[in-house]
Amino acid sequence: STNNAASGNAEGGGAQAANESTSTTGAGGNAAAAEAGANTAENASANAPKSDEPLVVYLNDFDEIIKPMFEEATGYKLELVTGNGAELASRIEAEKGNPHWDVLWMDAMPMIDQLGKNGQLLENWTPANKEGLTDFAKGLIPASGAYYPTGAHAASVIVYNTKAYDAASAPKTWQELADAKFKDAVGMADPAVAAPAYPFVAWFFQSQGAEAAQGYFESLMKNGLRVYPKNPNVAKALTGGEIKAAALQESNAYTLKAKGEPVDIIWPAEGAPASVRVAAIQKETEHADAAKAFVEFLLDPKTQQALIDQGEESYFEPSAQGVKAKADRAAEAKLVVAEAAWAGEHEGEIKQWFADQAVK
Amino acid sequence: MRKPILEAVGLGKRYGKQAALQGVGFEVYAGEIISVLGPSGCGKSTLLQLIAGLAQPDEGELRMRGAVIANASRSVPPEKRGMNMVFQDYALWPHMSVFDNIAYGLRRQKKAEAVIRSDIAELVRLLHLQGLEDRLPPQLSGGQQQRVAIARALATKPDLLLLDEPLSNLDMRLRIEMRAEMAYLFRRLGTTVFHVTHDPDEAFSMADRIIIMRAGGIDQIDTPQACYRRPATRSAALLLGAGNQLRGRVLRHGEYASLQVDGAEIQGVPPALGAAVRPGEEARVLWRPDAAQWSPDPDCAGEAVELVTSAQAETAAGQDSVRRSNGREAGAAVLAEARSSGGEAAWPLMADTLAEVPKGASALPVRIVHSVFEGGHWRVLARTAEDQSLTFLHEEPLPAGAAGRLLLQAARTFIYRIEEEG
Amino acid sequence: MRKPILEAVGLGKRYGKQAALQGVGFEVYAGEIISVLGPSGCGKSTLLQLIAGLAQPDEGELRMRGAVIANASRSVPPEKRGMNMVFQDYALWPHMSVFDNIAYGLRRQKKAEAVIRSDIAELVRLLHLQGLEDRLPPQLSGGQQQRVAIARALATKPDLLLLDEPLSNLDMRLRIEMRAEMAYLFRRLGTTVFHVTHDPDEAFSMADRIIIMRAGGIDQIDTPQACYRRPATRSAALLLGAGNQLRGRVLRHGEYASLQVDGAEIQGVPPALGAAVRPGEEARVLWRPDAAQWSPDPDCAGEAVELVTSAQAETAAGQDSVRRSNGREAGAAVLAEARSSGGEAAWPLMADTLAEVPKGASALPVRIVHSVFEGGHWRVLARTAEDQSLTFLHEEPLPAGAAGRLLLQAARTFIYRIEEEG
Amino acid sequence: MRALFKQGDRLGWLMLALLVVLILLPLAAVVIQVLLPGVFFGRFALGDLSLLLDIFKRPLWFASLKNSLLLGVGTTVLATLLGGGLAAVRARWAFAGARLLDIAVWLLLVTPSFILAQGWVMFASADGLAASWLGWRWLHDLVFQPAGLIAVMTLSKFPLAYLAIHGALAWKASRLGDAARMSGASPWTAWRTIEAPLLLPAIASGAMLVFVDTVGDFGLPASIATVFRFPTLPYSIYSALYTSPIRFDMAGALSFYLVLLIVFAMLVQLLALRRARFDFLSSRAVKNEPRRPRRGGWLLASGNALFLAAAIGIPLGSNALMSFTGSADAGAGGMTMAHYKALFNENGALLTGLLHSLEIAAGAAIIALLIGFLVAYVLTYSQFKFRRTIDAITLVSLAVPGIVLGIGYIFIWNQAWLEHVGLLLYGTPWILALAGIAGAIPVVTRMITGAMAQVPGQLLAAAQMQGAGFALRLRTILAPLTKGALLSAALTAFGSSVFDLAISSILYPPNYMTLPVVINKAFEDLKFGYAAAATLTGAGLVIIIILVLELIVRPARRTERKTAA
Ligand SMILES: Nc1ncnc2c1ncn2[C@@H]1O[C@H](COP(=O)(O)OP(=O)(O)OP(=O)(O)O)[C@@H](O)[C@H]1O
Ligand SMILES: Nc1ncnc2c1ncn2[C@@H]1O[C@H](COP(=O)(O)OP(=O)(O)OP(=O)(O)O)[C@@H](O)[C@H]1O
Ligand SMILES: [Mg+2]
Ligand SMILES: [Mg+2]
């Protein structure tokens, strides 16, 4: 992409940067909006009636802090729709005829990847902050540039109740969860229902092949695996004693631990399948400048640092270089990612397989 | 000529397969009181429902002041018809006090509260409901509920008032008082009234015209007198009290027809409607229990007299000899008077020469079964030679088994063809 | 001596402050039919409720076959009393067909289904409900509902049957038929019956004894004849048809008392209960409209005759002269007959010498107001010299304004003290 | 009465139109995805109709259908018995704590089912309160199995039956019961054969509500059924919707089966109510006043207390504990008011959410009451041809998971052309109000229909004869006679839509948080204490509002009695 250089110097999602970047995209339809973005809100309203409308972002986390942060930093107004990943996905799909969102910022990379494939996302735009991303993050950016990762966290880590096990007796690898030692003691979220659980199983299916993965999960189920609708249910079951160990979303796990619950976290050596939070812009957005400014803002290391320091879901691996992860987050946290395109394509059948397991 | 306020043409109404009304037509003139008489289940309430607009006819048409208010395809809603109604089951609102029940219609008319109060005070007085204004309907007796229902309907001073057996739950005294007062009130207000009743006396005393119904149709519409004197059908005759009916074979036909009944020849008025009776065919003869006069057979006379004597002894001395004037039993007496008054006596009956049957009358031999006290008279059950049973009224009880003859006046004896059933 | 099946002693029941019943006591013998008569709201239904066990007395006691079944502290539940009841408002179950309504009690008795079917077929026939067995109650006419209610109560063949105005919604013919059939049935089955009615004829024809109630208490318990001949209270007299009442001042007291009423002296039967009337005090005189005989003043006679003549012309020729035997109007005729029959004439009245008043009778000068047709007779409204109004029955209408005298028989004229109100 | 027809017909069409717009259209929009998957995005490719038959091929779907049916029928039977029994006892007798029963019923009704489920899980799980505090280890196995699920469902759903039946008990058919006693029936037989059957319309309504609500519930079965797999239709719908590529067509096919279940239930109801009449209110009808029992008052009181301890104490007690400790493990942490404090200091997210929810719920309840009342009128008194259709539609929004309906709402109300006519309601709070109304209609209509069945048309006809127009008749005769049910219906609608999560989470406009969204979010962020505190506070507030409203409307009864005495 040739455009990214134009805003290479920009740090933060300033109005200035947005102006420059759009002026070079050559996307004529956006010219008016671009100009408006460059001026103050009042000026803008005179030229383009839509420009003082807020930017609408659908997101599943960080809703408390992102709005003031962004508005303060850029002067754009922001409106948020929060929800869990699955609900938002449905909503986005249902809105397909007349989308209300300008930017998506969710940890649902396979789904967003599919949106890109269906041509719903703004492509061929390179944010200035792309260069500042880590290699791991850069590796996740699709060729079309339809979305950019803002961070990644483990869709599942192994968490155990310290009252039941100690560091020695606790399960340490994914494989171990199928061990008879842990019969009737392990829980996880239902990939058919809980959005974050999908990247977890997708990695098994992609890396091990469908059969091996199915064999693995079947062995877990035979071992009395309890499948809860969502991760919070798993967390409660774990602290409540219903189960003793679980494959639990990273942020949930650390939240529990931070609250003083008797749990401990194990990062399996083979890696924890990651859920990648990405940001994407709607193709037909009428607020392209603000949208781009928002994505730039998210890729800004300062923003990411702020999210880690103040955010609710602060346990993640930042995508920008030079950002320090949470201090109590394991240093050796190894993330592995199922390829987004692959995961997106196979999502239907894999989830279906899991849903059908519910019958057995 | 007066224009009718309400006209019905060929009204029909069915419930499922069953026809509750068919081919009903009549006219009602402003200010008239019409009483509808008919056996239970003949469609009286259904007719009122159609007039009220609470049901829609399946056939025919209803017009009010010339404008169609209901036919099979359209129906002016009840509240726009300016009528009111007393329902057979009262339909009082259980959640409202007596006062509110009565005031409801007045409030709908947006009357001032003071006017409402005084109107209701008046109605409450008229219907003897004083002191009950604050009760709820379930706290009233049956008759009180019925009176509240009447008051509620009278309150709105409707053009046309529909009354469905409005006095059925009242004691006789109140009923007679109420019907007199209501008739007076309606005439004073010029209210047109359509009044269903099962009490012929009520119909006679209130109505300008009577509609006699049977099995969903109308048998007769006429003045009370005309209906009384010549009921159009057997059913009408039965309704109007002609409770005795015997079968016989027609002998002669003319101004009076005559029938061979169990050996005796009975003269009577032939049917006013339909085909004339033909000699030889079977027919029925009907008369009111009070239209027959008992005359004992000479050989039994002594017995009968004896019983009368013992009955006299039973009562307070001296009262009995005049006790008889009470009522419907007095046929013989009337005849006696007619004779003694020297007028053109149509029935020159000698009280002592019983074999002689007066002109215009017939004699039917009967045997007494038993006697039932009914206040002013005894109701005597008897049987004819061929065991058809009948009743008549007599001033004293008659001994079972006594034989004698009943004298029936031709003008008050009605003959109907068998096929005019109902 | 027979033992009573049901005894009531000092029964009292109040609704809030208002006493619906007080001090009610009576005895009922097995197989008796008791009719309860009383003005609307006097407590008849309440009394039935107490007997049925649906309400509990506040005072007094009810015994059945000697055992207490209800007093203020205990009450045998209704289903254990072996009674059944026809409710004034029928209380049919809307969710059950006619058949199921009637079968309910039989099913409770665990009768075989075949027996139930045949029992019900019988009842359905008796009550003319053929073809309605599968209907739901709201799909019946008022009279049909009432008959279903009767059938339901008869079905269980109770020891004691309570009937609350069971025939009020039936036409006259059916009413007379039903009461005869029911009386026959009860006597055959030996059912003891407690029967509330507002129709004196019904009471007279069905009852062994009549209870006359007023304002929560009992005024009279006696045989129909005795009640008819000497109503114990003014209220009873009114209930039993003595609808005329005038005020006057007592002149004399004795076997017959006499009253000065608007200038005339009227003789009548003094009250049977309570203190005797004292000369000088105010009192009321009551009589039945059919117990009075009209005699026109000589100077008006021509006018009256003329009207009679025109009335004759109005009807079919030849009928009119015998039309009069119809009914309650026949006082004069009776007298005439009495005279002509040569018996010990108590009332030697000459039809042409009107000034002469027979012994045992009184003459009251009146002036005619108007006449109302009532079937067999006309009801004539008249006023006394001092404008008290009254009615009597006459065979023909009388011209308004005509003056004349009413002849009242002392034995059928009742005198009551003013304080015996109600 | 029959003449209320014409009016009924006009009204019938109006109501049908309204219900179609509010409920059927959105649902149809989803179901039609089976036929025309792209219809709302301008693609008219024919879908694969064989999807509808997949219910017999896919093990999951088939099991879901079976389980839903089992759960629905089981819960319906038990909850109707329980609710009906309680309502009968409550209406007949006055006993200590009777008022608590009412409150408990409202509490259960307004609390979202996932919160109730959570309470049960906390209590009954292997290391839960029952095991750790009371040592009831057996409880775990008892609860976590299909029968246990049905039991828990029963304890959560009986309020619907209770309210529907209690509303219809406002008037007493005592004369009819008396007639039965006279025919030799014992009090119990009289109740069984006369009084209870006369309540059949209300019982059927209650049962229907329970059935439909059970069949449509996702949260509770999903949470309880973790140990034993027990997928239900809503589960399958969720998994279809939460699977990308998102399969609206599958959700549509499954919703179609939910609708079939309703039709099935309605057939059963039709059979039960066939040909009978239940209008017993006459001039003799008296208001039902609970009496003190002669004996056994304490039995009722303690039975009630025990029952409340189970039905309310367990699910809400566990949550309450959670709200004070933030942890299911009661021993840890100790008691704290922190969560409650937090409710009010986090820049008021909860407060504004709560206000939004109350606003929407109040508006929705009032409008739904109006619609429900008119719909019930059409169902009860008119001969409108499509009465059954109306009847069926009113139930749909309860059975079909809110998210499906929500998606339908998006389809319908987010079409670009609507913008030109100013009706682009999606994205505005109006859409929530509409959805709220749609959600409230089933409950409202059912409850009112049950009570209305008792009022004979004759009473309306009488008013009509007095010159009262349609609206007036409804206002002065029908509404007062069904007042109890109307109140229950409105309050139920209000209470349950305050917490209606599914619909609001998919439809809420940007920056228009509602209470359930806030709570759900706290839950997802593992702020269990906060979530519990927010739920209890919200529920408490709603209950207070409900009780106050009841106090304002109900005492009319007492004054009425005074003037009567
Ligand atoms: N809803 C209904 N469904 C079916 N049949 C009905 C319905 N209502 C009335 N009927 C029948 O129609 C006929 C006429 O009924 P209607 O009520 O008009 O009689 P009625 O003349 O008023 O009798 P009654 O004097 O007993 O009140 C009756 O045979 C009755 O059974
Ligand atoms: N529930 C009640 N509350 C208050 N008063 C009542 C109640 N029920 C009846 N009453 C009153 O008690 C009196 C007696 O009523 P009851 O029903 O016994 O009269 P009734 O003799 O049967 O009259 P009717 O012939 O009119 O049916 C009436 O004045 C009535 O108003
Ligand atoms: Mg009728
Ligand atoms: Mg009564």
Side-chain angles (χ1 to χ4, degrees), chain C residues 29-261:
Chain C
Y29 297 93
E32 253 192 329
I33 299 182
I34 302 279
S35 288
V36 182
L37 272 170
S40 174
C42 71
K44 304 181 295 295
S45 298
T46 306
L47 178 59
L48 288 200
Q49 299 246 324
L50 293 189
I51 298 177
L54 298 173
Q56 196 170 356
D58 299 323
E59 288 159 25
E61 195 166 271
L62 263 173
R63 286 191 287 267
M64 202 164 172
R65 297 200 177 83
V68 175
I69 53 170
N71 57 28
S73 58
R74 63 184 295 271
S75 169
V76 174
E79 68 273 19
K80 303 245 168 74
R81 296 187 180 194
M83 306 179 179
N84 209 335
M85 178 158 171
V86 174
F87 291 82
Q88 190 170 8
D89 56 354
Y90 324 151
L92 298 179
W93 301 303
H95 61 301
M96 291 185 187
S97 70
V98 166
F99 185 93
D100 291 335
N101 262 281
I102 304 178
Y104 188 89
L106 295 172
R107 299 220 164 101
R108 297 289 81 74
Q109 296 174 354
K110 307 253 181 298
K111 287 259 171 79
E113 200 61 25
V115 176
I116 293 182
R117 285 202 173 277
S118 75
D119 277 14
I120 291 183
E122 168 75 16
L123 283 166
V124 160
R125 200 196 45 69
L126 181 70
L127 289 142
H128 303 287
L129 290 167
Q130 291 96 335
L132 303 179
E133 292 91 333
D134 290 335
R135 298 255 188 101
L136 294 171
Q139 297 170 331
L140 298 179
S141 78
Q144 289 163 343
Q145 293 189 15
Q146 193 161 43
R147 283 176 276 152
V148 174
I150 297 173
R152 181 176 69 180
L154 293 181
T156 58
K157 301 214 173 65
D159 282 356
L160 177 58
L161 185 63
L162 307 168
L163 305 171
D164 200 348
E165 312 202 356
L167 305 174
S168 62
N169 268 288
L170 305 185
D171 59 277
M172 191 170 97
R173 171 192 162 197
L174 201 54
R175 210 152 70 227
I176 291 177
E177 186 180 327
M178 298 281 328
R179 76 192 186 206
E181 299 211 30
M182 282 183 5
Y184 176 70
L185 188 76
F186 298 151
R187 297 233 145 80
R188 192 174 53 124
L189 296 175
T191 313
T192 311
V193 177
F194 212 90
H195 166 240
V196 168
T197 181
H198 47 64
D199 181 351
D201 278 3
E202 201 176 303
F204 289 140
S205 64
M206 290 181 72
D208 293 311
R209 285 190 301 149
I210 292 181
I211 296 185
I212 297 182
M213 293 184 63
R214 173 173 52 98
I218 292 182
D219 270 6
Q220 188 167 19
I221 310 185
D222 216 329
T223 60
Q225 286 96 326
C227 290
Y228 183 82
R229 285 178 197 146
R230 195 162 187 182
T233 61
R234 191 175 69 95
S235 162
L238 281 166
L239 269 180
L240 297 177
N244 289 310
Q245 51 176 325
L246 303 181
R247 292 176 81 107
R249 201 160 290 280
V250 178
L251 289 176
R252 261 190 302 279
H253 178 247
E255 190 204 341
Y256 290 117
S258 77
L259 232 61
Q260 174 82 27
V261 178

Side-chain angles (χ1 to χ4, degrees), chain B residues 15-16 18-21 38-47 88 164-165 196 198 213, chain C residues 132 135 138-145 147 169-171, chain D residues 2 277:
Chain B
Y15 294 116
Q18 194 226 353
L21 281 184
S40 175
C42 71
K44 304 181 295 295
S45 298
T46 306
L47 178 60
Q88 191 169 7
D164 201 348
E165 312 202 356
V196 168
H198 46 64
M213 294 184 64
Chain C
L132 303 179
R135 298 255 188 101
Q139 297 170 331
L140 298 179
S141 78
Q144 289 163 343
Q145 293 189 15
R147 283 176 276 152
N169 268 288
L170 305 185
D171 59 277
Chain D
R2 256 152 244 101
R277 296 272 298 258

Side-chain angles (χ1 to χ4, degrees), chain B residues 13 15 49 52-56 72-75 77-79 83-85 87-96 101-102 104-106 108 134-142 145 152-153 155-156 162, chain D residues 1-7 10 171 175 281-287 456-481 560-565:
Chain B
K13 175 74 190 171
Y15 294 116
Q49 299 241 326
L54 297 173
Q56 197 172 355
S73 57
R74 62 185 294 273
S75 170
E79 67 271 26
M83 306 178 178
N84 211 334
M85 179 158 170
F87 291 82
Q88 191 169 7
D89 57 356
Y90 324 150
L92 298 180
W93 300 303
H95 62 299
M96 290 185 191
N101 262 284
I102 304 177
Y104 189 89
L106 295 171
R108 299 294 77 79
D134 289 335
R135 298 253 187 104
L136 292 172
Q139 297 167 331
L140 299 179
S141 79
Q145 290 189 2
R152 182 176 70 177
T156 58
L162 307 168
Chain D
M1 300 138 276
R2 256 152 244 101
L4 313 172
F5 291 0
K6 278 269 136 119
Q7 211 120 30
R10 234 179 301 137
W171 293 92
R175 186 50 72 93
L281 276 190
S282 69
S283 324
R284 284 268 163 222
V286 288
K287 286 247 169 147
Q458 195 85 321
L459 294 187
L460 294 180
Q464 209 169 2
M465 292 310 301
Q466 306 294 312
F470 179 66
L472 213 59
R473 291 200 292 280
L474 299 197
R475 192 161 58 74
T476 54
I477 308 293
L478 203 49
L481 282 172
E560 248 167 44
R561 212 172 56 232
K562 238 180 257 147
T563 56

Side-chain angles (χ1 to χ4, degrees), chain A residues 50 56 58 60-64 67 78-91 93-100 110-111 114 163 190-195 221 225-233 235-237 239-242 244 248 251-253 255-256 259 261-262 312-313 343-349 351-352 354-360, chain D residues 40-41 43 58-61 63-64 118-119 121-122 124-128 140 144 218-219 222-223 225-227 229-231 235 238-246 248 250 319 322 326-329 332 346-347 403 407 410-411 413-417 419 424 426-427 501-502 504-513 517 520-521 523-529:
Chain A
K50 303 238 168 199
V56 177
Y58 284 17
N60 61 349
D61 283 307
F62 301 115
D63 49 306
E64 298 91 346
K67 183 173 152 79
L78 194 59
E79 276 193 351
L80 305 178
V81 170
T82 325
N84 71 49
E87 267 166 16
L88 287 178
S90 292
R91 193 165 171 161
E93 179 68 16
E95 284 178 16
K96 202 154 88 180
N98 185 18
H100 284 232
M111 187 270 283
Q114 291 295 308
K163 287 183 188 163
D190 188 346
V193 174
M221 286 174 202
L225 175 74
R226 302 199 169 168
V227 180
Y228 295 84
K230 308 257 175 85
N231 274 299
N233 304 83
K236 281 197 105 172
T239 55
E242 177 79 22
K244 300 189 179 80
L248 186 63
S251 55
N252 288 347
T255 307
L256 286 186
K259 281 203 295 188
E261 296 286 351
E312 302 246 340
E313 297 277 308
E345 253 162 53
H346 295 86
E347 188 171 352
E349 63 201 64
K351 284 188 174 177
Q352 167 112 40
F354 270 95
D356 282 340
Q357 289 308 301
V359 184
K360 290 176 189 155
Chain D
F40 290 99
F41 320 126
R43 261 190 291 117
R58 299 195 185 197
L60 171 69
W61 287 15
S64 306
Q118 218 46 67
V121 170
M122 274 189 267
S125 61
D127 278 354
H140 174 266
F144 293 94
F218 169 71
S223 307
T226 47
V227 178
R229 315 304 309 273
F230 196 81
Y235 173 87
Y238 272 67
S239 67
L241 288 178
Y242 289 178
T243 299
S244 85
I246 287 167
F248 292 134
M250 286 191 192
N319 274 297
M322 175 67 69
S327 143
D329 189 356
E346 273 180 40
N347 39 17
I403 183 154
I407 286 165
I410 299 179
F411 282 148
W413 297 105
N414 187 36
Q415 299 176 62
W417 61 271
E419 187 147 27
L424 191 76
Y426 178 64
L501 167 71
S504 50
S505 69
I506 191 144
L507 288 180
Y508 83 92
N511 282 358
Y512 195 89
M513 283 292 235
V517 177
N520 192 46
K521 200 170 149 20
F523 188 75
E524 301 230 323
D525 292 345
L526 304 198
K527 296 198 280 188
F528 299 132

Side-chain angles (χ1 to χ4, degrees), chain A residues 65-274:
Chain A
I65 57 170
I66 199 69
K67 183 173 152 79
M69 275 170 62
F70 176 67
E71 286 181 348
E72 203 172 297
T74 64
Y76 286 109
K77 275 206 255 146
L78 194 59
E79 276 193 351
L80 305 178
V81 170
T82 325
N84 71 49
E87 267 166 16
L88 287 178
S90 292
R91 193 165 171 161
I92 290 159
E93 179 68 16
E95 284 178 16
K96 202 154 88 180
N98 185 18
H100 284 232
W101 52 276
D102 298 307
V103 175
L104 291 184
W105 182 36
M106 296 163 63
D107 55 355
M109 185 165 66
M111 187 270 283
I112 293 177
D113 188 74
Q114 291 295 308
L115 287 182
K117 279 214 185 102
N118 294 339
Q120 285 175 265
L121 300 179
L122 180 72
E123 293 181 355
N124 300 324
W125 168 71
T126 309
N129 283 337
K130 180 186 173 190
E131 289 313 312
L133 297 183
T134 61
D135 292 341
F136 175 72
K138 278 185 186 149
L140 297 171
I141 299 172
S144 61
Y147 55 85
Y148 293 91
T150 66
H153 61 269
S156 283
V157 287
I158 294 174
V159 187
Y160 64 91
N161 192 318
T162 50
K163 287 183 188 163
Y165 308 118
D166 56 22
S169 61
K172 286 171 211 61
T173 64
W174 296 121
Q175 200 55 49
E176 239 185 300
L177 291 178
D179 196 303
K181 261 200 301 191
F182 304 109
K183 185 153 180 57
D184 291 334
V186 181
M188 68 177 272
D190 188 346
V193 174
Y198 177 63
F200 169 59
V201 298
W203 175 74
F204 283 93
F205 276 74
Q206 192 196 6
S207 62
Q208 304 183 1
E211 248 165 68
Q214 283 174 8
Y216 168 67
F217 284 108
E218 270 166 2
S219 68
L220 277 182
M221 286 174 202
K222 274 204 208 88
N223 205 28
L225 175 74
R226 302 199 169 168
V227 180
Y228 295 84
K230 308 257 175 85
N231 274 299
N233 304 83
V234 180
K236 281 197 105 172
L238 186 65
T239 55
E242 177 79 22
I243 48 176
K244 300 189 179 80
L248 186 63
Q249 199 187 7
E250 173 188 351
S251 55
N252 288 347
Y254 278 106
T255 307
L256 286 186
K257 203 173 168 194
K259 281 203 295 188
E261 296 286 351
V263 294
D264 225 333
I265 300 167
I266 287 174
W267 287 83
E270 67 259 57

